[in-house]
Amino acid sequence: MQISSRFTIAVHILTCIDYFRDEHMTSDFLAGSIGINPVMIRQILLQLKAAGLVDVSRGKGGIALSRPLQSVSLYDVYEAVESVKGKLFRFHENPNPDCPVGKNIHAALDGSLEDIQGALEGKMKGITLADIAAKIQ
């Protein structure tokens, strides 16, 4: 299991937009900071825009935050860009129902996996982008 780099790229994008708020922000500028192709930046910006985290204007308008960093949690960013929706852990589909472990593993493990996912999401909800930006400045 691994959360893709889209999540950390999105956090980098949002933090960079705030840090350089007085600059004209473009996908090329962001790509230079992050070290990836501007096409990838534009794809993630579309997701962030759909989630209401950024405003993107074509041409000379540039890119701006839709909300202050203190009102955006890491979970908000994760939810906006990560393809993992719903349950974080995928359970194997065909445990043997004739095996005592196989027929009970789902029930034995499900609650623990839900607790782990809840703890991760709860921790992410408690950290804002302002917390991240404060460590940069």
Side-chain angles (χ1 to χ4, degrees):
M1 169 191 74
Q2 188 175 42
I3 295 172
S4 75
S5 63
R6 294 178 81 80
F7 170 70
T8 54
I9 292 168
V11 171
H12 190 142
I13 287 170
L14 295 166
T15 306
C16 198
I17 292 168
D18 180 71
Y19 188 90
F20 294 104
R21 68 178 79 66
D22 296 330
E23 302 287 327
H24 179 70
M25 191 57 53
T26 66
S27 57
D28 288 331
F29 183 94
L30 292 166
S33 175
I34 298 166
I36 62 172
N37 191 300
V39 172
M40 180 79 152
I41 298 292
R42 288 189 284 276
Q43 291 170 348
I44 294 173
L45 283 170
L46 287 173
Q47 292 177 295
L48 295 172
K49 182 179 179 181
L53 299 176
V54 296
D55 294 317
V56 180
S57 302
R58 295 199 185 275
K60 296 193 183 252
I63 305 159
L65 297 175
S66 298
R67 302 176 359 203
L69 289 187
Q70 58 268 29
S71 71
V72 180
S73 71
L74 289 181
Y75 183 76
D76 295 329
V77 178
Y78 167 79
E79 201 172 37
V81 300
E82 197 51 54
S83 62
V84 179
K85 303 290 183 196
K87 292 189 176 190
L88 187 59
F89 297 97
R90 182 167 181 241
F91 212 95
H92 54 285
E93 297 175 11
N94 300 308
N96 185 345
D98 296 327
C99 171
V101 175
K103 73 178 175 185
N104 293 302
I105 191 68
H106 214 315
L109 192 53
D110 281 351
S112 295
L113 295 179
E114 288 172 8
D115 290 346
I116 292 166
Q117 183 171 345
L120 172 68
E121 291 174 358
K123 186 71 172 176
M124 291 174 90
K125 288 175 183 176
I127 301 171
T128 69
L129 292 183
D131 298 326
I132 303 303
K135 293 177 183 178
I136 292 170
Q137 299 175 5

